[in-house]
Amino acid sequence: MDAQTLFREGVMAVREGKDLNQARQLLLQSLKLEPENDMAWLWISQTVSDPQKKLECVNRALKINPDNGKALDLRLKLTKALTTAATPQPAAPVPIFDFKFDDKPTDPPKAPYPAPAKPPPPADLVDEAGLREAPTIRTPLSPAEDREVKDLLEKADAYIKTGQAEEVENAIEQWVRILEIRVDHEFAIQNSVRYLARLGYMDDAKELIWRAIDAGTLLPSIFVTAVDIAQRMHDHSAAADMAKRLLPMPEVDDALLLKITDQMVKYGQAEQVVEVLAAAVTHRPKSQKLLIRLGELLDELGQKDKAMRYFDRAARIKGGTKEAKRADKALMQFTPIITDRERGNTWLAVREAAGFLVFYLLLGWQDAGMNLANMGIRWLGVLLSLLGGYFVITAVSSPQQQPLATWLGGTVPPPKPQKQLVDPYGNPIDSLSSGPLEDPTELTMLPQAIRWLFFILGAALLSFSFYIVFSTALRLLFNPVPPTYIPNIEDLLLEAVR
Amino acid sequence: MGAFFSFMFQILLILLLMSVVFPLPVSDTGTVRYKTLPIMTYVLITINSLVFLAWQAPHLIAATQAEQFGLFEPLIQSLQAYVNQIWTYGYRDVFLRSGESIGAFTTFTSMFMHSGFDHLIGNMVYLWAFGRRIEDACGPWRYLLFYLTAGMIANMGSELLNPANSDIPSIGASGAIAGIMGAYLILFPGARVNCLWILGSVLRLPIAAIRGKDLWNWTIPIPSFILLIYFAVENALPSFEVMQQGDDVGGVNTLAHLAGFLACLLVLLFVRKDLFNRFIAGRSL
């Protein structure tokens, strides 16, 4: 029988209303032969009583033909009817599995199968066998169901082992039946989806995966497959969405996320990968690998300003690691970043002030005739230079030291506008600005008046210290004493000749 | 115009002669990360050059001219004036202990004086090669403070560590520049420095011919740690001899070079905050 005949008979069966299951089978068979028949899905919607299932069918019809007026009307009605639907319950995590991207079927898991997780909302399957109530991940498998799953897996395995192409569909059928029992059965879903995709039934493959996800599965492998399917169907926003849903899962490690995002990049979706990775680093702020990958992508996209910040974050997490070195190497092409960690640190300011102390100590030491015992009052000058240096440093380069800035009534400064220089053709160019790039700050900064006060006080202290430590030299500068001995050039020449 | 070309030719000749056997660092191949215009390095080179060219060199030029014309008296007068400058504003222990000349201020004046044109050129080339990146790491003002601190330590070291009661004035920027070089070794040991090295370029010829590369390269990039450790050892060996036996003859003040080089540790007080944090964390600078 051809598709149209099956369709007509299916419609007649629905109109007669005698055997809706039979009607559904006919319509599904017609769809198998003619997948683009949107009206078939609309008629199938009349064979089920559950509004949720009806809506699924209508959505399928609209996917094929978005302008189908009847479908649009029906969806509107169904959506209104479903507004009171219950919200899903959170589910417990499930054990981690090994994810594979290759096209070979995976080995069936050995019984007993993983215990079902505590799962959210019920969902149902649309498959070639028709729409029917399917046990969900909420429902524990009964011993009978467990046996049935085992039998179906063995059957599917036997079909696949024949190596004949026509038996693949039979194997898929077995796996799909398993999915009626356990909507997110990992082995069944992965193999059925893989073979459906290979046979070109991408919509069906997607449907199986989305069913499991909508049912509230927490198996990461299903989300990984969802990303893959969405990519193949060029539904990149769905792929990004699925990838984001993987992020909170504790079983998902950095390597898996990078594998997924690298695949997405291969499909040319770098911008969406940036979104995914940006979300990922909020979940895993200490992941150097993710931060570096995000930095690399942003760099490739020309967003160097953002890229360097992620590289910097990665490098700061832990020095000496392979990743930190990689981040550091990448950072070498950028201006370094100054963050609140440096701004707010009092010891770093004191360190700079210690430079003044050393300088003044050397001055005083020489002024005291290279004898530290003769320093006398100069020691006071040396100590004052530390204080003066600290005031100047605080005013000029470290006005956000904590808690000093807060104690003295400082406020968080507004973000500085980023100045971007452009060349005559409007292309951005790097400026010859001195100093590192300023990261947005959350620290308070000393009020301007206090900074000026500190600067004046510091400069005065440094001047006074200089006067004390270099007193002899200053006196001699204004009243030089001629050296008691300067050799006569004639004597020097004669000595050289001898 | 002729005088200008003659002047430039003299500079090139000095550079070539300096780089025949040993590599002469002329520039840094590393990235200047903070993009600081090396304003203070320019300023220091300018002050050093001006002090020599405008203040010291006229006496030497006058002496050369007097010698050419066989004028003994003007020759003696010019040389005496030059000697007076060095012995009045050079760094002498007696000035500090007895309060002569301008006292401890000579620690600064001596740093900007040079004994001859080749002395000046040599020092300024090293300052340019290594100073630019240290200035970038410190910022101009802290770099200046570090430069002066290293210069003072070099001056003091040459007096305090020399057991001979010598009264030979020290002049030259080399002590301060040795501090800059030491700082470079601490901060950027893996960086490569382009060196003018005639012997190296000649030795490279057969290798370049075999590999099919450009036959002649004026500069050869050499890892900074090789250059700088060589510099330290080159100055340390004679310095140890001076420290044991004393030296009151004069010449190259290796002790000042060594003392200045050892002042490099202080650079950690002068580098930028974020760079200091990266250094402590063992990260790339």
Side-chain angles (χ1 to χ4, degrees):
Chain A
M1 257 192 284
D2 62 48
Q4 280 303 312
T5 309
L6 286 165
F7 175 65
R8 273 197 302 275
E9 284 188 13
V11 171
M12 281 173 67
V14 173
R15 282 180 175 156
E16 285 168 9
K18 287 178 183 171
D19 188 350
L20 289 179
N21 276 338
Q22 175 65 23
R24 191 162 55 234
Q25 288 291 344
L26 289 167
L27 289 164
L28 283 165
Q29 281 174 36
S30 82
L31 271 170
K32 197 174 174 185
L33 297 171
E34 193 185 0
E36 297 304 305
N37 186 350
D38 54 328
M39 289 309 291
W41 281 111
L42 217 52
W43 279 106
I44 290 173
S45 74
Q46 302 302 310
T47 67
V48 290
S49 54
D50 185 351
Q52 183 70 47
K53 291 178 203 164
K54 281 181 186 285
L55 186 61
E56 284 292 338
C57 298
V58 173
N59 281 338
R60 281 203 165 207
L62 283 169
K63 193 162 185 189
I64 297 164
N65 179 12
D67 299 319
N68 187 322
K70 284 183 182 173
L72 286 167
D73 289 343
L74 193 53
R75 185 167 72 173
L76 193 65
K77 285 176 192 166
L78 287 168
T79 310
K80 280 180 187 170
L82 285 167
T83 46
T84 54
T87 51
Q89 298 298 309
V94 292
I96 190 160
F97 294 91
D98 187 26
F99 314 114
K100 293 178 182 175
F101 283 93
D102 58 333
D103 274 341
K104 295 172 190 167
T106 50
D107 292 333
K110 292 187 176 91
Y113 298 106
K118 284 181 257 170
D124 40 65
L125 270 175
V126 177
D127 63 18
E128 291 153 354
L131 288 166
R132 51 177 264 204
E133 291 293 337
T136 70
I137 56 177
R138 187 192 291 278
T139 319
L141 291 185
S142 65
E145 285 171 330
D146 201 26
R147 269 197 307 279
E148 192 181 349
V149 166
K150 206 187 296 180
D151 290 345
L152 288 166
L153 281 170
E154 280 170 6
K155 275 187 189 172
D157 192 40
Y159 283 127
I160 288 294
K161 277 180 179 164
T162 61
Q164 293 173 3
E166 58 269 24
E167 299 293 7
V168 171
E169 288 196 27
N170 288 328
I172 293 172
E173 201 175 322
Q174 310 309 311
W175 289 321
V176 171
R177 281 184 183 162
I178 294 170
L179 295 177
E180 289 172 28
I181 300 165
R182 159 79 52 216
V183 71
D184 64 343
H185 189 282
E186 194 174 30
F187 177 79
I189 205 165
Q190 290 216 337
N191 283 317
S192 54
V193 164
R194 186 170 295 128
Y195 280 97
L196 281 169
R198 284 173 74 175
L199 293 171
Y201 299 120
M202 293 300 287
D203 277 335
D204 291 327
K206 187 180 175 185
E207 185 63 27
L208 290 177
I209 284 287
W210 256 249
R211 287 277 172 188
I213 289 168
D214 289 345
T217 184
L218 284 175
L219 289 175
S221 63
I222 290 179
F223 287 90
V224 174
T225 312
V227 173
D228 193 32
I229 292 287
Q231 292 285 4
R232 286 166 193 252
M233 295 179 80
H234 303 286
D235 189 353
H236 301 299
S237 62
D241 184 48
M242 288 298 127
K244 282 181 195 168
R245 289 177 70 173
L246 272 168
L247 300 176
M249 297 183 183
E251 303 91 341
V252 177
D253 60 6
D254 293 351
L256 177 63
L257 281 176
L258 289 172
K259 201 169 178 178
I260 292 168
T261 51
D262 284 349
Q263 270 204 335
M264 290 172 76
V265 171
K266 280 182 194 164
Y267 281 97
Q269 297 304 310
E271 285 92 351
Q272 277 172 331
V273 174
V274 165
E275 271 179 40
V276 172
L277 286 174
V281 296
T282 58
H283 284 282
R284 298 148 201 257
K286 299 283 180 194
S287 167
Q288 287 177 306
K289 284 180 183 168
L290 293 178
L291 288 163
I292 290 171
R293 186 70 191 110
L294 182 52
E296 285 171 348
L297 271 176
L298 287 164
D299 191 16
E300 284 165 22
L301 292 171
Q303 298 177 35
K304 294 187 179 295
D305 197 43
K306 287 182 185 168
M308 63 188 284
R309 286 184 158 85
Y310 286 109
F311 285 133
D312 192 66
R313 270 178 64 184
R316 279 170 190 259
I317 288 168
K318 192 181 177 189
T321 61
K322 192 178 156 192
E323 282 73 29
K325 284 177 186 166
R326 222 174 106 204
D328 256 350
K329 196 176 172 189
L331 274 171
M332 291 306 285
Q333 61 176 312
F334 301 111
T335 301
I337 304 171
I338 188 161
T339 64
D340 280 347
R341 197 174 157 194
E342 282 93 25
R343 293 188 191 104
N345 194 318
T346 301
W347 289 111
L348 286 175
V350 172
R351 172 195 66 100
E352 287 185 52
F356 282 95
L357 180 126
V358 171
F359 187 78
Y360 276 68
L361 174 65
L362 295 172
L363 289 178
W365 193 352
Q366 292 173 98
D367 199 62
M370 299 276 231
N371 188 347
L372 284 172
N374 289 345
M375 287 274 285
I377 190 76
R378 292 184 187 88
W379 284 114
L380 177 66
V382 172
L383 289 176
L384 285 178
S385 74
L386 179 66
L387 194 61
Y390 177 74
F391 279 132
V392 169
I393 295 296
T394 303
V396 174
S397 63
S398 299
Q400 289 181 278
Q401 291 167 59
Q402 299 301 318
L404 182 74
T406 307
W407 284 348
L408 296 175
T411 51
V412 178
K416 289 180 187 172
Q418 296 281 330
K419 281 184 187 174
Q420 178 66 62
L421 300 181
V422 290
D423 68 10
Y425 305 101
N427 302 316
I429 51 170
D430 288 337
S431 63
L432 265 179
S433 61
S434 60
L437 188 78
E438 296 279 336
D439 214 27
T441 183
E442 292 173 357
L443 296 180
T444 54
M445 185 185 275
L446 285 174
Q448 200 66 25
I450 292 183
R451 285 177 72 180
W452 272 108
L453 185 71
F454 272 34
F455 182 77
I456 293 165
L457 192 61
L461 275 173
L462 286 175
S463 305
F464 181 62
S465 306
F466 188 77
Y467 176 73
I468 294 176
V469 298
F470 230 40
S471 54
T472 309
L474 280 168
R475 181 173 51 77
L476 287 168
L477 183 68
F478 294 109
N479 302 292
V481 174
T484 49
Y485 171 72
I486 291 178
N488 189 309
I489 188 65
E490 289 181 55
D491 296 340
L492 285 176
L493 289 172
L494 281 172
E495 197 175 316
V497 170
R498 278 194 216 111
Chain B
M1 188 59 82
F4 175 75
F5 280 116
S6 166
F7 179 71
M8 296 309 291
F9 178 73
Q10 202 177 343
I11 290 178
L12 282 174
L13 193 65
I14 289 170
L15 289 176
L16 283 175
L17 288 174
M18 281 178 171
S19 60
V20 170
V21 180
F22 296 108
L24 176 71
V26 287
S27 72
D28 172 348
T29 60
T31 315
V32 178
R33 295 196 62 200
Y34 296 90
K35 298 180 178 147
T36 313
L37 192 68
I39 189 81
M40 200 52 76
T41 306
Y42 290 144
V43 168
L44 289 170
I45 290 173
T46 306
I47 294 175
N48 276 290
S49 305
L50 279 178
V51 167
F52 180 75
L53 295 174
W55 187 53
Q56 292 182 272
H59 299 302
L60 290 175
I61 293 166
T64 310
Q65 286 173 344
E67 192 182 11
Q68 279 174 353
F69 292 107
L71 303 170
F72 183 72
E73 197 59 34
L75 170 67
I76 293 296
Q77 279 175 2
S78 300
L79 288 178
Q80 187 65 56
Y82 171 71
V83 167
N84 287 351
Q85 282 178 335
I86 291 175
W87 283 75
T88 306
Y89 297 105
Y91 193 76
R92 289 169 68 185
D93 191 35
V94 67
F95 291 170
L96 309 180
R97 297 185 194 281
S98 312
E100 295 179 18
S101 180
I102 52 171
F105 262 112
T106 53
T107 198
F108 297 125
T109 53
S110 66
M111 258 186 245
F112 293 95
M113 294 171 70
H114 288 86
S115 62
F117 198 49
D118 51 348
H119 188 198
L120 174 76
I121 294 290
N123 277 348
M124 293 307 104
V125 169
Y126 273 80
L127 179 57
W128 171 251
F130 296 105
R132 199 173 53 104
R133 203 160 172 200
I134 299 297
E135 180 174 352
D136 189 56
C138 296
W141 292 106
R142 283 180 292 244
Y143 168 71
L144 174 66
L145 211 57
F146 173 64
Y147 178 90
L148 295 175
T149 303
M152 282 197 284
I153 289 175
N155 281 337
M156 292 171 72
S158 71
E159 295 295 339
L160 290 172
L161 299 175
N162 187 352
N165 191 20
S166 87
D167 185 24
I168 309 288
S170 296
I171 56 167
S174 46
I177 294 166
I180 299 287
M181 291 165 71
Y184 198 98
L185 179 62
I186 288 180
L187 300 178
F188 312 111
R192 285 175 176 266
V193 178
N194 279 328
C195 296
L196 196 62
W197 188 20
I198 306 298
L199 182 62
S201 294
V202 172
L203 290 174
R204 182 186 161 278
L205 277 174
I207 300 165
I210 291 167
R211 290 188 176 178
K213 293 187 175 178
D214 289 342
L215 279 183
W216 185 256
N217 262 7
W218 278 102
T219 57
I220 293 180
I222 296 177
S224 66
F225 73 90
I226 293 177
L227 283 173
L228 295 168
I229 289 174
Y230 171 75
F231 173 84
V233 172
E234 186 191 26
N235 284 280
L237 296 177
S239 297
F240 293 143
E241 198 180 321
V242 172
M243 281 189 265
Q244 284 180 335
Q245 298 171 9
D247 179 18
D248 57 0
V249 177
V252 177
N253 193 345
T254 54
L255 202 51
H257 291 177
L258 186 66
F261 197 83
L262 295 177
C264 63
L265 287 171
L266 291 172
V267 78
L268 295 178
L269 296 180
F270 297 96
V271 291
R272 297 174 193 268
K273 287 189 284 250
D274 56 310
L275 191 141
F276 179 79
N277 268 356
R278 288 203 301 278
F279 182 84
I280 296 296
R283 291 175 50 194
S284 303
L285 304 180

